[in-house]
Amino acid sequence: MATLTQVEATNVTAPTQFIATGAERYAYRRIGRGSALPLLCLQHFTGTLDFWDPAVVDPLAQTRELILFENAGVGRSSGAVPDTMAGMAAHVLAFADALGLTQVDVLGFSLGGVLAQVIALERPSLVRKMLLVGTAPEGGEDIMHLEKPELKRILDDLQVQGLQRLVKLFFTPSEASQAAGRAYAQRLAARRQDREPVSGPKVAAAQLAAFRAWERGDGGERFGKLHRITQPCLVVNGVLDQMISVKNSYTLSEHLPNAMLITYPDAGHGSLFQYHESFVQQASLFLGETTR
Amino acid sequence: MATLTQVEATNVTAPTQFIATGAERYAYRRIGRGSALPLLCLQHFTGTLDFWDPAVVDPLAQTRELILFENAGVGRSSGAVPDTMAGMAAHVLAFADALGLTQVDVLGFSLGGVLAQVIALERPSLVRKMLLVGTAPEGGEDIMHLEKPELKRILDDLQVQGLQRLVKLFFTPSEASQAAGRAYAQRLAARRQDREPVSGPKVAAAQLAAFRAWERGDGGERFGKLHRITQPCLVVNGVLDQMISVKNSYTLSEHLPNAMLITYPDAGHGSLFQYHESFVQQASLFLGETTR
C-alpha cells in the first residue's frame, strides 16, 4: 500500500485516506498531481469512492490532482447520511476546510452535481469551475424516480445485482451502450483491495429524501438561484438518461449564465463513463481554458 | 486575383468561382486544402458567400478543403430561389455532381442545416459527417418567425442596417455578445473586392416560404425521418437563439441516432461566430475522429 507521500496515478490502487474534523472522520482518495487546481470529485447516489471510473479519473489526474470525497455515512466515512442537500454540502465544506482547500474545480456527477451547485452558492470563492454531469437544478423534473417502470423493472430483477445492475441503470439498452457498460464494470472491478463497503438501504433512503426535496424546490422563483452561479460550467448529460432526465441539463444550461452544454447520443446516466475518451478530452479543454 | 490553381487560405480573398450545369450557373468558393474530406458549407437565410466568417472557415481550411456554395438565385448564382427545402437541396446535389464530389462532410448553418438534413436523407452516400448549427428538424417549433416582437423590433429599426442588423439578430443583447458581434461584422467587412450582391426581398420571401413549410412538417410521424440519418452529427446552438430556438437542437440531438449536442451560453443564432475559437476546436475534433 502506498504511503501518503507517494503520488498515486490511478483509482485502481490509490489508498483510501481519512481525515478527522471535530465532528466526523471522512474517507477520501487523492490521485495525480500537476500545476492545475485540484479537482474535487463528488459522487453519485449511493456511490462510494470505488465507483469513480479509472478511465475517467486517471487520465484527468495526469495534469492535476483529483480529490475523491466520500460523504458522511457513505463507505467508511463516519456519521449519518443527511436527508437534505444542504446537509450533505455542509460535509463537503467541512472536508474542504479540514484539507485546507481554498479554491478547487469541481466534478459533480448526479447527486454530486447537486452538491456542487449548493456549494457554489454557499461559498462561491471555493469553486473556480464546475463540471456538472447527469444532474439537475433545484425544482427540476424527472429526477431519480426509481418507481418509474423503466427503472423499477431493473431494480426489481433479482437476477441483476451489483455492477450488473449499474450497467442496466447507467447505460441504454442498445448493444453498443451495454458493451460500454460491461467495460465500465470491468474497470470498476479492477480494484481488488482496500474497497469501501457498499451502500445499504439507509444511505439510499436518506439520499432519495434529499432528491425529493430538491425536485420540489424551495418555493422561490423557479431556477432563480442559478443566475447567481457565475462560475464557468460544463454541463454534460446522456440524451436518454432515465435517472435524471436530460431536460434538467437543458434547464441548467439555459439558466446558468456561463454554462456550455454537451449531450451524448445513445447514452444514459453514465454518459461520462460510456464516452470516457470524449469526456476526458472535453473536461481537459474546459478546465484548461484560461478564458471563456 | 488568384488563379484557380492557387490555394486560397482565407475567405477574405478567395475568388468567387462559377460552375455551369445544364440548368444553372452556381457561384462558389474553395479555400484550403488537406488530406481530410472536403467540407461543404451551406449558408444561412439570405446569406451569400460573403457571410462565411473568416474566423470560422479559415482555421478549418488549414487541414481540409472548404467548398462554400451559393444556392440558386442567391448572390451571383443564376436561377430562381426555390420556395421549398427540397428544391434548394436539389441545387446542392446538382452542384456537387457538377464538381464531381462523391463524399463530403457538411457544415450547414441555419437554412443550410435544413438542406444538410434533406441531402443526407436523399443521398446518404454523399455525406460522411454533418455539423448542424442553429438549425431545426422538419416539424420543429419557433423557426424563423420574423414577426416575433424580439425580431420585429430589430427589423423595423431603420437606424440599424446591413451588418449592424446582423449583429443585433445573431448576437444577444449582452455587452459581451454585442462586442463579439461587432468583431464578427469587422471580419466580414474585411473582404473588399469580388463581393456578392446582397440578397433582396425576393430571396427572403422564397426562403421564408420554405421555412414555413418545413415547420409545418410533412404530415408523417413527427421527427420520424431523423432516425434514418445515421451519420455522426455535431449539433450546435446558442442557448438564447431567437431566430431558431435551441429547442430544435434538443429535438435533433434526441432523435438523430448519432448526434452530439453543444450549446453555448449567452449566445444567439450566431453562436459559431461568437465562440469561433471553441467552435473551430470542436468541429476539428468531431471531423477528425476516426470513430464515435
Side-chain angles (χ1 to χ4, degrees):
Chain A
M1 188 162 146
T3 67
L4 300 194
T5 50
Q6 279 184 301
V7 174
E8 285 284 343
T10 169
N11 195 34
V12 176
T13 54
T16 300
Q17 302 180 43
F18 299 92
I19 192 165
T21 64
E24 306 292 353
R25 178 173 171 267
Y26 299 112
Y28 69 103
R29 294 184 195 145
R30 305 180 87 135
I31 58 174
R33 68 174 159 197
S35 57
L37 272 189
L39 181 65
L40 177 62
C41 299
L42 304 177
Q43 189 57 294
H44 62 79
F45 172 68
T46 72
T48 68
L49 299 173
D50 298 336
F51 289 84
W52 282 112
D53 185 352
V56 167
V57 294
D58 294 2
L60 289 172
Q62 293 296 309
T63 48
R64 55 178 46 75
E65 185 181 43
L66 270 65
I67 301 171
L68 316 182
F69 173 62
E70 193 120 278
N71 217 308
V74 179
R76 284 180 276 178
S77 285
S78 70
V81 180
D83 60 2
T84 65
M85 297 302 179
M88 286 184 258
H91 284 295
V92 179
L93 291 176
F95 168 75
D97 289 340
L99 275 191
L101 301 171
T102 54
Q103 193 181 36
V104 293
D105 292 330
V106 178
L107 164 55
F109 173 40
S110 189
L111 176 65
V114 171
L115 302 187
Q117 294 169 63
V118 176
I119 290 160
L121 286 165
E122 178 84 7
R123 198 185 295 175
S125 63
L126 181 63
V127 181
R128 188 189 67 132
K129 294 186 178 187
M130 298 201 290
L131 293 152
L132 301 173
V133 185
T135 194
E138 190 167 19
E141 59 180 310
D142 194 1
I143 300 171
M144 292 295 290
H145 284 282
L146 303 186
E147 73 282 7
K148 279 166 62 171
E150 299 87 344
L151 299 176
K152 189 169 188 303
R153 190 171 49 235
I154 296 166
L155 294 167
D156 285 351
D157 186 347
L158 298 177
Q159 304 299 311
V160 179
Q161 294 290 333
L163 286 174
Q164 278 189 297
R165 175 180 281 182
L166 219 50
V167 172
K168 296 287 182 198
L169 288 171
F170 278 15
F171 296 79
T172 79
S174 81
E175 179 44 43
S177 188
Q178 285 296 302
R182 290 190 295 272
Y184 153 81
Q186 284 191 332
R187 293 192 298 267
L188 291 191
R191 186 181 177 98
R192 303 278 183 193
Q193 298 183 319
D194 190 31
R195 290 186 66 96
E196 298 301 291
V198 171
S199 297
K202 279 178 70 173
V203 175
Q207 292 181 344
L208 274 179
F211 268 124
R212 289 283 66 75
W214 186 252
E215 191 181 57
R216 274 196 304 276
D218 66 352
E221 183 199 350
R222 200 176 182 203
F223 312 132
K225 288 177 188 164
L226 294 178
H227 300 275
R228 287 162 37 209
I229 301 179
T230 55
Q231 283 90 346
C233 297
L234 180 63
V235 177
V236 176
N237 218 110
V239 81
L240 301 176
D241 192 334
Q242 291 286 359
M243 306 196 77
I244 297 186
S245 165
V246 67
K247 289 189 179 74
N248 294 291
S249 284
Y250 299 157
T251 302
L252 284 169
S253 58
E254 289 174 8
H255 291 267
L256 289 167
N258 193 2
M260 180 170 159
L261 168 68
I262 291 179
T263 73
Y264 286 110
D266 186 30
H269 201 50
S271 68
L272 74 173
F273 309 133
Q274 180 168 343
Y275 290 90
H276 54 87
E277 286 184 14
S278 172
F279 177 78
V280 167
Q281 195 169 42
Q282 294 290 346
S284 301
L285 274 176
F286 169 71
L287 295 174
E289 280 171 353
T290 51
T291 58
R292 286 296 306 282
Chain B
M1 186 161 146
T3 68
L4 301 194
T5 50
Q6 279 183 303
V7 175
E8 284 284 343
T10 170
N11 195 34
V12 176
T13 54
T16 300
Q17 302 180 43
F18 299 92
I19 191 166
T21 64
E24 305 294 351
R25 177 173 173 268
Y26 299 112
Y28 68 105
R29 293 182 196 147
R30 306 179 88 134
I31 58 173
R33 68 174 158 196
S35 56
L37 273 188
L39 181 65
L40 178 62
C41 300
L42 304 177
Q43 189 58 293
H44 63 79
F45 172 69
T46 69
T48 69
L49 298 173
D50 298 335
F51 289 85
W52 283 113
D53 184 352
V56 166
V57 295
D58 294 2
L60 290 172
Q62 293 296 309
T63 49
R64 54 178 46 78
E65 184 182 42
L66 270 65
I67 301 171
L68 316 182
F69 173 62
E70 191 122 276
N71 217 309
V74 180
R76 283 180 277 178
S77 285
S78 70
V81 180
D83 60 4
T84 66
M85 297 302 180
M88 285 185 258
H91 284 294
V92 179
L93 291 175
F95 168 74
D97 290 341
L99 274 191
L101 301 172
T102 55
Q103 194 180 35
V104 293
D105 293 329
V106 178
L107 164 55
F109 173 40
S110 189
L111 176 67
V114 171
L115 302 188
Q117 296 170 62
V118 176
I119 290 161
L121 286 166
E122 177 85 6
R123 197 185 296 177
S125 64
L126 180 65
V127 181
R128 188 188 67 132
K129 295 186 176 186
M130 297 200 292
L131 293 152
L132 301 174
V133 185
T135 192
E138 191 168 18
E141 59 180 312
D142 194 0
I143 301 172
M144 292 294 291
H145 284 282
L146 303 186
E147 74 280 8
K148 280 167 61 171
E150 299 88 343
L151 299 176
K152 189 170 189 300
R153 189 171 48 236
I154 297 166
L155 294 166
D156 285 352
D157 185 349
L158 298 177
Q159 304 300 311
V160 179
Q161 294 290 332
L163 286 174
Q164 279 189 297
R165 174 182 282 185
L166 219 49
V167 172
K168 296 287 181 197
L169 288 171
F170 278 15
F171 296 79
T172 78
S174 81
E175 179 44 43
S177 187
Q178 285 296 304
R182 289 190 294 272
Y184 153 81
Q186 284 190 331
R187 294 192 298 267
L188 292 191
R191 186 181 176 99
R192 303 277 182 194
Q193 297 183 320
D194 190 32
R195 291 186 66 97
E196 298 300 291
V198 171
S199 297
K202 279 178 71 172
V203 175
Q207 292 182 343
L208 274 179
F211 268 123
R212 289 283 67 76
W214 186 252
E215 191 181 57
R216 274 196 303 276
D218 67 353
E221 182 199 352
R222 199 174 183 206
F223 312 132
K225 289 178 189 165
L226 294 178
H227 300 275
R228 290 163 36 209
I229 301 179
T230 55
Q231 284 90 345
C233 296
L234 180 63
V235 177
V236 176
N237 218 111
V239 82
L240 300 177
D241 192 335
Q242 291 285 0
M243 305 196 78
I244 298 186
S245 165
V246 67
K247 290 189 178 73
N248 294 291
S249 284
Y250 299 158
T251 302
L252 285 169
S253 59
E254 289 174 9
H255 291 268
L256 289 167
N258 193 3
M260 180 169 159
L261 168 69
I262 291 178
T263 74
Y264 286 109
D266 186 29
H269 201 50
S271 68
L272 75 173
F273 309 132
Q274 181 168 343
Y275 290 91
H276 54 87
E277 286 184 12
S278 173
F279 177 78
V280 167
Q281 194 169 43
Q282 294 290 346
S284 300
L285 274 176
F286 169 73
L287 295 174
E289 280 172 355
T290 52
T291 58
R292 285 299 303 281

